[in-house]
Amino acid sequence: MTERHLHIALTALAVGLATLHLPLVFRSNINWDEFRYLSVIHQHRSGTLTSALQSIHVHAFGWLPATGPNEVDQIIAGRIVYYLLLAGICCLIYFIARRFVSAAGALFAVVCYLCYREILDHATSFRFDGLAVFLLLGATALLLFPRRPRLTALLAAVLAAAALLVTLKAVFFLPTLGLVLLLRQRAAPVLPDSAPRPDPRERRMFDVVVFTFGFAAAFAALYALHRYSLHVPTVRDPSLFVREAGSRTLLPDRPFPSWPYMRATVTGNLVIWLLILHGLDSVLHRLPARETRGQALLLLTLLLPLLSLVIYRNGFPYYYVFLMPPAVILCGVSFDRLLDATRARGRISSWIPACAVAAVVASFAAHYRGADEVQIQREVVAAVHDIFPQPVTYIDRNSMIASFPKVGFFMSTWGFERYFDAGQPIFEQILRTAAPGFVLANHPALVLDSNVAMPVTRARYRLMEQDHQVLKDNFIPHWGPVFVAGKRLRVPTDAPVFLTMLIPGTYTVESVSPVRIGNLTFNPGEAVQLARGTYVVQSLARDQVLTLRWGRHLHRPEVVPPTGLLFQSL
């Protein structure tokens, strides 16, 4: 096999793998924080967004609500954009890798990224990581190929500032960008004429100054413009947000706080990690030689984001979309080393690198899923919109009905930690002030009736007993995971019972005979307007169970509720 044939084969393989990622845009289970990411866009559109950090994506995706009334369709539209970002990330991996390895090695790095299990699961997920890493890789590429050092440093600074506004975890990439800026002139590029002649030391330091001030100015300007676009009188103090985020996610009690996920990603992608280690060994052997030291230092610099796993709590599977692009470049170094070891008489003895490619692709095939994992979520979201044609305040885990106003805390692991640290029940006050119309039980903590089969996500967190009881007392089963505001109580004929309403509104009487509520009598099927307060209820004919259901004959979808899991991963 010639170099040209190898290059063509790897290009075809990379394109084929990228093509196989496309159906996953439409069929992969939508993660709960994708709905949360979408809800920020709806909050900005309705003028209720209060956080200017980690929300700048609303300007790039403000058009999504116009793509359809269903949140699932809106997220898939966003995923299509993220698929294009994935293609851009692959191009940037190739472009950066060509600074250090052959064209075949750079293509192999792209193949490894596309085959990585967590990338397969989350690369096109509509969340922070894909957009942020695209911007950061763009900044890295600009710094590695500085035809115009001042201009590239300034443009890279703007991209890095935008990435930090997308997600604060971009801070883990900033040391890499700074060191690349300092070291870029020490390494001769593989591509001919890809960099200007080295600058004197003082000019390199001037590049650092340009980048630093450009980054600070761009961040301040973008943040100010974004904050100005928020139509609320009070925006959450960013310094408080940053301090709380840092205290919750950094410097935990033990190193490697996400160790279970690290172990799973290494064992699930063992071949790729062996190739990374093989490439790292090659890089370390280049350090002593003066002519290769610069490139070796740059390659080691690209690995710095991996060190965040030592201190970062939220190293969940989707985080590897953000971490792995620089790391897989070492797979390209390993591939070149394998090629060098198998060259004979001007041709490539291909069996060793072919085995590496086959092993990586086999890992991809083992984890590829073609089943439609979105259908259950689509049915639930469609049912909610069918029940409530107009937006209604509600409670759920993660703003799954992004176009409706949600109340209650965001039920992530961090959200539950804050909830338990506060040590105070919250939902009675929420019911009194916000009067939510329904609970969407998309978290086990929100399952209010064990006799109702519904799709919920796996989780170990639960609400405080007082909060769970107040929700159970004020919401009744309606359809699958949808519990609507209401009351269900046994009413005897010989003694009145007391009914306490926390959620005012119109309720439909569901009974077998007339009942008296306060001073008025209501027949089955009639509507009653109830204010917040306590009422005396009495059955006028016989002992019976009275149900008061929120709304006037609230619609119930005819479709049978699904029974599978709504969310299949973290």
Side-chain angles (χ1 to χ4, degrees):
M1 178 184 291
T2 65
E3 295 271 6
R4 181 171 176 271
H5 291 151
L6 179 61
H7 190 276
I8 292 173
L10 286 171
T11 301
L13 178 60
V15 171
L17 291 170
T19 303
L20 286 173
H21 273 262
L22 183 57
L24 303 180
V25 169
F26 305 93
R27 305 175 73 86
S28 286
N29 185 253
I30 298 176
N31 197 268
W32 49 269
D33 59 350
E34 292 185 75
F35 287 104
R36 171 74 169 183
Y37 196 62
L38 175 66
S39 73
V40 175
I41 297 169
H42 281 273
Q43 290 172 35
H44 184 259
R45 190 180 189 188
S46 63
T48 59
L49 181 61
T50 60
S51 177
L53 287 176
Q54 301 198 139
S55 60
I56 199 170
H57 67 280
V58 301
H59 302 291
F61 294 98
W63 49 274
L64 280 183
T67 61
N70 189 299
E71 283 79 359
V72 171
D73 293 330
Q74 294 170 23
I75 289 174
I76 288 176
R79 282 180 165 189
I80 293 172
V81 177
Y82 270 60
Y83 180 77
L84 298 177
L85 289 177
L86 174 62
I89 289 169
C90 290
C91 291
L92 288 168
I93 290 173
Y94 177 85
F95 190 70
I96 293 169
R98 284 293 286 125
R99 184 70 160 82
F100 309 100
V101 300
S102 67
L107 285 168
F108 183 69
V110 173
V111 167
C112 288
Y113 186 73
L114 290 170
C115 288
Y116 201 86
R117 184 180 69 176
E118 282 73 13
I119 310 304
L120 184 62
D121 290 339
H122 301 289
T124 56
S125 293
F126 186 59
R127 47 158 59 100
F128 304 105
D129 304 86
L131 177 57
V133 78
F134 175 77
L135 295 171
L136 292 165
L137 288 176
T140 305
L142 284 169
L143 295 179
L144 282 173
F145 291 90
R147 289 187 179 276
R148 297 183 179 179
R150 305 295 97 77
L151 180 60
T152 55
L154 186 59
L155 292 176
V158 174
L159 292 179
L164 190 60
L165 283 170
V166 170
T167 173
L168 294 179
K169 71 182 74 168
V171 71
F172 296 132
F173 235 99
L174 296 184
T176 290
L177 295 178
L179 288 172
V180 166
L181 195 60
L182 288 171
L183 295 171
R184 61 182 178 176
Q185 298 296 350
R186 296 189 60 176
V190 172
L191 291 177
D193 302 323
S194 62
R197 295 178 179 178
D199 290 330
R201 180 175 301 177
E202 58 272 16
R203 294 191 64 186
R204 294 202 300 271
M205 292 306 299
F206 184 72
D207 291 351
V208 174
V209 172
V210 169
F211 179 86
T212 302
F213 280 93
F215 174 82
F219 184 88
L222 291 173
Y223 178 80
L225 290 172
H226 175 46
R227 178 164 179 162
Y228 181 75
S229 74
L230 306 186
H231 306 292
V232 291
T234 302
V235 177
R236 186 178 180 186
D237 185 351
S239 62
L240 292 177
F241 179 83
V242 172
R243 285 199 299 272
E244 184 176 16
S247 65
R248 296 280 180 183
T249 62
L250 301 179
L251 300 174
D253 296 335
R254 66 186 188 280
F256 299 104
S258 58
W259 170 248
Y261 306 108
M262 290 177 58
R263 180 177 57 204
T265 196
V266 171
T267 56
N269 304 279
L270 186 58
V271 173
I272 293 176
W273 279 100
L274 289 175
L275 289 166
I276 289 173
L277 291 176
H278 185 244
L280 179 61
D281 178 70
S282 179
V283 171
L284 294 176
H285 278 86
R286 297 179 190 179
L287 279 176
R290 183 183 182 88
E291 61 274 12
T292 58
R293 185 178 302 151
Q295 280 198 348
L297 288 172
L298 275 175
L299 282 166
L300 292 176
T301 296
L302 293 178
L303 296 180
L304 287 179
L306 287 176
L307 296 179
S308 64
L309 292 170
V310 178
I311 61 171
Y312 187 52
R313 170 192 175 277
N314 291 352
F316 299 128
Y318 57 79
Y319 185 49
Y320 291 87
V321 174
F322 180 85
L323 281 186
M324 294 311 296
V328 295
I329 292 173
L330 285 183
C331 293
V333 175
S334 175
F335 192 79
D336 275 0
R337 187 176 177 182
L338 293 174
L339 286 179
D340 290 340
T342 58
R343 293 181 194 276
R345 298 179 183 178
R347 299 178 65 84
I348 301 173
S349 177
S350 60
W351 69 273
I352 293 181
C355 287
V357 173
V360 169
V361 175
S363 176
F364 176 91
H367 296 108
Y368 190 85
R369 303 187 310 277
D372 188 349
E373 301 170 345
V374 176
Q375 185 58 32
I376 290 176
Q377 298 170 314
R378 189 185 298 279
E379 290 176 9
V380 169
V381 172
V384 171
H385 283 287
D386 193 21
I387 298 168
F388 304 101
Q390 298 299 320
V392 174
T393 303
Y394 73 108
I395 296 169
D396 88 327
R397 171 186 185 171
N398 58 295
S399 301
M400 190 171 183
I401 313 301
S403 57
F404 286 14
K406 166 192 159 59
V407 291
F409 68 96
F410 178 39
M411 294 184 179
S412 63
T413 55
W414 180 8
F416 268 103
E417 287 176 6
R418 295 176 61 194
Y419 168 69
F420 286 119
D421 287 347
Q424 296 292 327
I426 61 173
F427 279 104
E428 181 173 346
Q429 184 61 29
I430 288 174
L431 266 55
R432 290 183 181 277
T433 57
F438 69 98
V439 170
L440 178 58
N442 53 8
H443 189 285
L446 297 173
V447 177
L448 305 179
D449 190 332
S450 60
N451 295 320
V452 178
M454 66 194 69
V456 296
T457 183
R458 294 179 286 258
R460 64 181 182 273
Y461 294 96
R462 294 291 184 269
L463 295 177
M464 297 178 191
E465 183 59 34
Q466 300 96 313
D467 276 336
H468 185 266
Q469 192 62 46
V470 77
L471 293 179
K472 190 172 182 179
D473 290 344
N474 289 277
F475 293 91
I476 59 175
H478 187 70
W479 179 91
V482 179
F483 291 77
V484 299
K487 291 283 187 175
R488 180 171 291 165
L489 63 159
R490 181 168 296 277
V491 186
T493 55
D494 57 352
V497 296
F498 292 95
L499 170 68
T500 299
M501 299 299 300
L502 296 181
I503 303 173
T506 300
Y507 288 81
T508 300
V509 175
E510 298 178 3
S511 62
V512 295
S513 62
V515 294
R516 185 186 297 264
I517 302 176
N519 298 320
L520 300 176
T521 300
F522 297 92
N523 294 315
E526 288 188 332
V528 52
Q529 186 72 30
L530 297 175
R532 187 177 292 111
T534 300
Y535 297 84
V536 177
V537 181
Q538 186 175 1
S539 177
L540 300 183
R542 56 179 176 174
D543 294 354
Q544 62 179 315
V545 174
L546 167 66
T547 298
L548 296 171
R549 189 177 303 273
W550 190 86
R552 191 182 297 271
H553 298 285
L554 191 64
H555 173 67
R556 183 174 289 158
E558 296 180 0
V559 62
V560 177
T563 57
L565 289 173
L566 272 176
F567 303 118
Q568 298 181 3
S569 62
L570 284 172

